[in-house]
Amino acid sequence: MSETGAKRTSAKKKAREIARLLRPERPDYAYLKDVFRHLRAELEVSVPGPSRRLPWVPTEEQVRAFYEAVWRTRRTADLVLIKTFLYTGVRVSELVVIRLADVDLDACQIRVNLGKGSKDRVVPFPGSFRETLALHIRQRRREGGTYLFESSWKRRYSDWGIRRMLERYTELAGIDHTVSPHKLRHFLLTWLKKQGVDDALIQPYSGHASRQSLEVYSRLALGEAQQEYDRVIARFPV
């Protein structure tokens, strides 16, 4: 039954009825698209616009609770992975291909190779994270590793494996919404914005690059963005 109470033919059956009418004319995709555009107009059916609901972003308290859940497990590699997400805002597809050679401990930067849009970029991490990351890298090299994060079978982590890991920690933290890799990225970029960091200084690290933004961002030195990041990151909740 429809919302108005009138009984409707099943969508599949109605499609067959329409197909019988249209089949002799051998319609192509463009013709069908135009037919259904006019059909919507005849039936006064409006096309719903995109949802205007803002995406859920974890609060600072939730991020602290999430990190505490990881900390309680004493799984050092997981702690380093979570902090890498939180401090750099890299995408999960970018994180799994970071090699040990991509980390510059002196400059506190990580090179992201072939990120979104097949573009390389450099992302920062705070000086306070350098020693922890250095110890992790030393251990990885002792084990003959190539990537920053690998399993005990010397295989780099998968997107799916990391998402499952974050789901488990979300449950341990008692958070209703799943804290996915994208939510950690979104939290960092939103947090930097709340600290008053200009979009033009966030962009070199975010990997966003529209035609309009590139005209602005291309005039900014990466060093300037790094200075602004270093200035505010001391207030980061983790």
Side-chain angles (χ1 to χ4, degrees), residues 27-44:
D28 56 16
Y29 176 79
Y31 178 75
L32 285 175
K33 185 178 178 181
D34 203 32
V35 166
F36 281 98
R37 180 174 63 84
H38 287 293
L39 187 59
R40 285 197 303 270
E42 288 290 333
L43 297 175
E44 298 181 349

Side-chain angles (χ1 to χ4, degrees), residues 115-206:
K116 189 173 182 181
S118 298
K119 294 181 176 66
D120 296 347
R121 71 183 191 281
V122 173
V123 294
F125 59 84
S128 59
F129 184 46
R130 176 162 42 193
E131 184 176 354
T132 300
L133 194 54
L135 291 171
H136 174 78
I137 289 172
R138 185 184 305 165
Q139 181 62 28
R140 296 295 309 111
R141 284 180 173 148
R142 275 195 200 131
E143 296 169 354
T146 300
Y147 294 92
L148 188 58
F149 300 106
E150 289 181 344
S151 70
S152 55
W153 296 282
K154 302 294 187 298
R155 295 177 182 171
R156 64 182 176 85
Y157 284 1
S158 66
D159 291 28
W160 179 86
I162 290 179
R163 291 179 192 280
R164 286 292 299 123
M165 177 198 300
L166 267 59
E167 286 176 11
R168 290 195 298 271
Y169 287 130
T170 299
E171 292 175 6
L172 286 174
I175 300 172
D176 294 334
H177 292 79
T178 299
V179 179
S180 65
H182 187 71
K183 295 303 180 185
L184 293 179
R185 167 181 166 81
H186 203 52
F187 174 81
L188 172 66
L189 300 180
T190 303
W191 184 86
L192 289 172
K193 182 68 176 174
K194 287 179 179 177
Q195 304 309 303
V197 180
D198 190 88
D199 286 345
L201 296 175
I202 295 173
Q203 189 275 340
Y205 298 128
S206 73

Side-chain angles (χ1 to χ4, degrees), residues 51 103 110-111:
S51 172
V103 182
I110 297 174
R111 172 167 286 280

Side-chain angles (χ1 to χ4, degrees), residues 210-230:
S210 66
R211 181 184 299 273
Q212 181 181 6
S213 64
L214 280 174
E215 295 174 0
V216 178
Y217 303 140
S218 62
R219 297 197 294 269
L220 296 167
L222 190 61
E224 184 181 350
Q226 180 93 24
Q227 289 172 11
E228 186 66 2
Y229 174 91
D230 291 340

